[in-house]
Amino acid sequence: MFDVITFGSGTKDVFFEMKEGFAVDERNNICFPLGSKMDITKMELASGGGGTNVAVGLSKQGLFVSYCGKIGDDGAGYQIIKELKENKVDTRFVSISKEKPTNYSVVLSVPNKDRSIFVYRGASGDHNSSDFPMRRLNARWFYLAPFSLKKKDLFYALIDYAELKSIKLMVNPSKAQLKEEKIKSYLSKISVLLLNKEEASILTEVSIKNEDELFKKIKEISSNLVIITNGEKDVVAVYKDNLYKVSAKKVEAVCKTGAGDAFGSGFLSELIRSGDVEKSLHFGIENAASCVLKMGAKNGLLKGTGSASLTKK
């Protein structure tokens, strides 16, 4: 039995850094002159995608992990499989598409500002329950990274299967998923729901400016553990009558890509290990802070087991 099986996309990430040749307008849009060449000052390749990021993060914490997803029959896809295996992630549930290439993301960053991500949704968008034998999914936990609405049948099938087999669920849904009314009827089946503040607002239909009402509504919607991240400020966990709030760790970020996935894998690994919600929040924050110190979503992830990871990278 696996400790965790993760579900979600596997992508090839291309990182571009620009220092000049662009403008930022009053709405914070990056603007480029058409027909011109732009100089890239730094370029790096890495793998990404919520499913593989969390799988590697959990494996680095010593858990027995498998990744279930779909990649293309191409170099990028096989590099993802190779990297997963190097990080001791089981790949028996990885499907290979002959029709579509592996997902790609181009991450365009501007020093001291932020980044924009261009996404090509390839093979992972066609992932469905016919790609793998559902009955062979045997784990203590499932981790569901964001799913596109195109895969919503698979999303709900996995939750139903987890309930049938008494498998615990941690779910990080997409904004599109949260806008569906159906998801509310499934919240009672989700052990840990991971949202950012904007996503929590979409789910509850309460303004992010009204925190007290937002947290109150969360308690009404779900009696299980709900985590709400707030960027570089803090993380809040709402569980029954308890509210935990932990400040984020201030670091000079090199690349913010994958920070949310790093928090998710850090939190879940510690929760499985100790069952302590507050301790898990702290370790999730430490893992995310370490992740952003390096380019790529996996290179900065902590290694070890829980607090021991903080001195062993």
Side-chain angles (χ1 to χ4, degrees):
M1 177 186 289
F2 293 102
D3 291 315
V4 188
I5 300 176
T6 70
F7 302 83
S9 63
T11 72
K12 190 69 176 179
D13 291 345
V14 184
F15 294 88
F16 289 152
E17 183 180 283
M18 294 184 68
K19 291 185 178 178
E20 56 185 19
F22 62 90
V24 179
D25 67 16
E26 67 280 357
R27 298 175 66 183
N28 212 33
N29 294 318
I30 301 177
C31 306
F32 306 98
L34 286 173
S36 299
K37 289 185 178 180
M38 306 293 127
D39 285 333
I40 302 298
T41 53
K42 184 185 290 186
M43 190 278 286
E44 291 191 33
L45 299 174
S47 72
T52 66
N53 291 343
V54 174
V56 170
L58 293 168
S59 182
K60 286 189 174 186
Q61 286 303 305
L63 297 175
F64 185 31
V65 185
S66 184
Y67 166 64
C68 183
K70 197 167 190 175
I71 58 170
D73 185 15
D74 49 36
Y78 291 109
Q79 284 177 359
I80 289 172
I81 291 178
K82 181 174 180 290
E83 185 180 57
L84 288 170
K85 290 180 176 179
E86 288 173 347
N87 283 283
K88 300 180 180 178
V89 175
D90 179 89
T91 59
R92 72 186 67 183
F93 301 122
V94 175
S95 305
I96 297 175
S97 172
K98 298 292 185 179
E99 288 75 38
K100 288 188 177 180
T102 299
N103 288 29
Y104 263 84
S105 292
V106 176
V107 184
L108 180 62
S109 63
V110 177
N112 302 318
K113 291 186 181 291
D114 208 334
R115 82 264 195 256
S116 294
I117 304 176
F118 302 85
V119 180
Y120 170 72
R121 305 188 192 280
S124 76
D126 289 342
H127 195 216
N128 59 68
S129 56
S130 66
D131 289 319
F132 57 91
M134 186 83 74
R135 67 185 182 279
R136 289 180 57 202
L137 300 177
N138 191 14
R140 296 164 64 194
W141 282 82
F142 282 174
Y143 184 102
L144 275 58
F147 277 51
S148 67
L149 289 183
K150 188 177 178 182
K151 296 194 294 179
K152 64 181 179 180
D153 290 344
L154 175 59
F155 175 78
Y156 293 114
L158 287 169
I159 295 177
D160 286 335
Y161 178 80
E163 181 184 37
L164 178 68
K165 296 296 184 179
S166 299
I167 298 169
K168 293 182 179 180
L169 277 163
M170 183 167 177
V171 179
N172 178 208
S174 66
K175 292 177 185 177
Q177 287 175 278
L178 291 168
K179 291 177 181 178
E180 282 204 312
E181 190 64 28
K182 184 176 181 179
I183 198 171
K184 292 182 180 178
S185 66
Y186 274 73
L187 294 180
S188 63
K189 304 179 183 183
I190 297 172
S191 305
V192 182
L193 181 65
L194 176 59
L195 309 169
N196 62 34
K197 205 168 183 181
E198 183 182 355
E199 291 163 347
S201 177
I202 292 171
L203 179 63
T204 60
E205 299 180 354
V206 175
S207 171
I208 58 175
K209 296 178 181 179
N210 191 346
E211 282 194 355
D212 290 341
E213 184 63 28
L214 183 66
F215 299 149
K216 180 182 176 182
K217 190 68 174 179
I218 285 290
K219 290 180 181 180
E220 292 174 2
I221 289 175
S222 175
S223 60
N224 292 328
L225 178 58
V226 180
I227 302 168
I228 304 171
T229 61
N230 190 19
E232 300 174 1
K233 294 182 180 180
D234 52 45
V235 179
V236 173
V238 181
Y239 184 48
K240 296 181 179 177
D241 293 328
N242 298 314
L243 191 145
Y244 308 83
K245 191 170 187 177
V246 179
S247 297
K249 187 175 181 179
K250 304 296 182 183
V251 295
E252 291 294 327
V254 172
C255 176
K256 296 178 182 179
T257 303
D261 296 330
F263 174 86
S265 63
F267 178 90
L268 182 55
S269 63
E270 185 58 45
L271 188 69
I272 290 172
R273 198 159 28 237
S274 68
D276 188 313
V277 172
E278 190 166 3
K279 192 174 180 180
S280 301
L281 290 172
H282 279 286
F283 188 63
I285 287 170
E286 291 286 353
N287 204 32
S290 180
C291 174
V292 302
L293 294 178
K294 293 186 179 181
M295 191 71 73
K298 300 180 177 72
N299 295 326
L301 293 170
L302 291 169
K303 300 177 182 177
T305 53
S307 57
S309 304
L310 305 183
T311 56
K312 182 183 179 183
K313 295 186 181 181

